């Protein structure tokens, strides 16, 4: 018995060590970004992984500007950050609300055409983004006139087929008896949704929040098409535009901006990691 226990512990340690290998492969690029952000200009192209003389000069230039000769190089990074926070916050609020309501209807209501509508919605997930990119650009820029406006960054993504599918599969596992009890007590559909379905669906909603936040926070192609004014740039667009300007070296500034841009994503994942893991496991097997 003791031998089996020791053997089992040894196997667990071996499995844990093997799982650390892909984790390190994912962490190495991020560690490179963070370490480069603390390098002074003389060490940016030295090839060494960690800086020998760590410095905050790249962060100072990012937040307060850089003087090159008689020219003041100013990067409006705080504005990029606020733009991304605003777009991500409003988008998450809308997409969570609308996807949850749609999933509640698909999971708990019977109406004519429900199956066809559900599978049609799922079929849209198979369309590559490039198939609808040009029509979407013309529609939102020419028809609605949303070029250089927040609506162009928020409205196109407030309905998500994957989010509706994920929440629908999870809500189907909620016992109908709970909803029947609420209906007998006089609760309407919206009240039942808010006080019963939403609390019980927190793992799936947490999963949707993480997935959608990462997608919105890292979105580059769509803002590149719809945004022209620098004051409207989001973080991915703003960081990508930090190229060599007026003879200034900005590689370190880009790394500093990328390192700061990861803070909200890391904070959100740690904040709702329990609901995220439960939603990824439970929501995937609900019938």
């Amino acid at each position: 018995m003791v031998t089996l226990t020791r053997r089992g512990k040894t196997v667990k340690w071996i499995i844990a060590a093997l799982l650390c290998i892909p984790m390190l492969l994912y962490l190495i690029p991020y560690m490179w970004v963070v370490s480069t952000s603390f390098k002074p200009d003389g060490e940016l192209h030295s090839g060494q992984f960690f800086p020998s003389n760590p410095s905050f000069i790249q962060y100072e230039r990012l937040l307060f500007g850089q003087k090159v000769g008689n020219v003041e190089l100013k990067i409006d990074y705080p504005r990029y950050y606020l733009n991304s926070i605003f777009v991500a916050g409003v988008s998450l609020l809308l997409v969570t609300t609308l996807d949850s309501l749609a999933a509640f209807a698909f999971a708990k209501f019977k109406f004519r055409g429900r199956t066809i509508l559900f599978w049609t919605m799922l079929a849209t997930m198979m369309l590559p983004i490039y198939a609808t990119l040009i029509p979407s650009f013309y529609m939102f820029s020419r028809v609605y006139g949303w070029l250089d406006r927040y609506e162009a960054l928020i409205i196109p993504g407030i309905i998500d087929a994957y989010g509706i599918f994920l929440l629908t599969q999870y809500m189907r596992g909620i016992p109908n008896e709970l909803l029947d009890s609420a209906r007998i007590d006089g609760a309407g559909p919206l009240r039942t949704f808010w006080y019963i379905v939403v609390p019980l669906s927190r793992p799936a909603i947490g999963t949707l929040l993480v997935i959608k936040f990462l997608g919105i926070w890292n979105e580059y192609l769509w803002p590149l098409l719809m945004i022209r004014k620098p004051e409207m740039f989001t973080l991915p667009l703003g960081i990508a535009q930090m190229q060599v300007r007026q003879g200034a070296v900005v590689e370190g500034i880009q790394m500093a901006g990328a390192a700061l841009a990861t803070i909200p994503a890391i904070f959100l994942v740690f904040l709702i990691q329990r609901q995220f893991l439960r939603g990824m496991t439970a929501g995937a097997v609900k019938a």
Side-chain angles (χ1 to χ4, degrees), residues 129-277:
I129 184 175
Y130 304 103
T132 59
L133 193 62
I134 295 178
S136 298
F137 171 74
Y138 274 98
M139 182 175 67
F140 289 107
S141 62
R142 302 288 178 86
V143 178
Y144 295 109
W146 285 353
L147 203 65
D148 288 321
R149 294 183 60 177
Y150 288 116
E151 292 91 332
L153 303 179
I154 296 174
I155 300 300
I158 60 174
I159 300 294
D160 182 64
Y162 174 76
I164 296 175
F165 171 73
L166 175 68
L167 296 177
T168 300
Q169 296 301 96
Y170 195 92
M171 290 179 182
R172 283 176 177 171
I174 298 176
N176 292 327
E177 290 78 9
L178 293 176
L179 279 64
D180 294 337
S181 299
R183 191 178 299 111
I184 292 173
D185 291 338
L190 290 179
R191 190 177 182 89
T192 302
F193 167 78
W194 182 253
Y195 288 101
I196 296 179
V197 176
V198 170
L200 293 176
S201 302
R202 282 186 299 177
I205 294 175
T207 303
L208 178 63
L209 281 175
V210 172
I211 294 175
K212 287 300 296 182
F213 176 81
L214 293 178
I216 296 168
W217 192 257
N218 297 322
E219 180 65 40
Y220 173 74
L221 181 58
W222 184 246
L224 180 64
L225 291 176
M226 299 301 299
I227 301 301
R228 302 289 188 272
K229 298 178 180 178
E231 61 268 21
M232 293 292 297
F233 284 175
T234 56
L235 277 175
L237 197 58
I239 293 174
Q241 298 298 321
M242 295 178 192
Q243 303 300 326
V244 177
R245 304 179 188 178
Q246 300 158 345
V249 179
V250 296
E251 289 90 341
I253 301 177
Q254 283 184 306
M255 295 299 103
L260 290 180
T262 62
I263 294 177
I266 295 174
F267 176 77
L268 179 64
V269 171
F270 276 101
L271 182 65
I272 58 176
Q273 60 177 331
R274 182 175 300 177
Q275 286 79 8
F276 176 72
L277 293 176

Side-chain angles (χ1 to χ4, degrees), residues 28-69:
I28 286 175
Y30 178 70
M31 293 171 60
W32 175 264
V33 169
V34 175
S35 64
T36 304
S37 68
F38 288 101
K39 293 179 181 179
D41 292 341
E43 298 183 12
L44 289 176
H45 303 286
S46 62
Q48 59 188 24
F49 196 92
F50 296 104
S52 57
N53 297 307
S55 172
F56 287 95
I57 185 63
Q58 309 298 347
Y59 290 95
E60 293 177 5
R61 292 171 175 172
L62 178 71
L63 299 177
F64 305 109
Q66 174 186 8
K67 191 171 183 180
V68 182

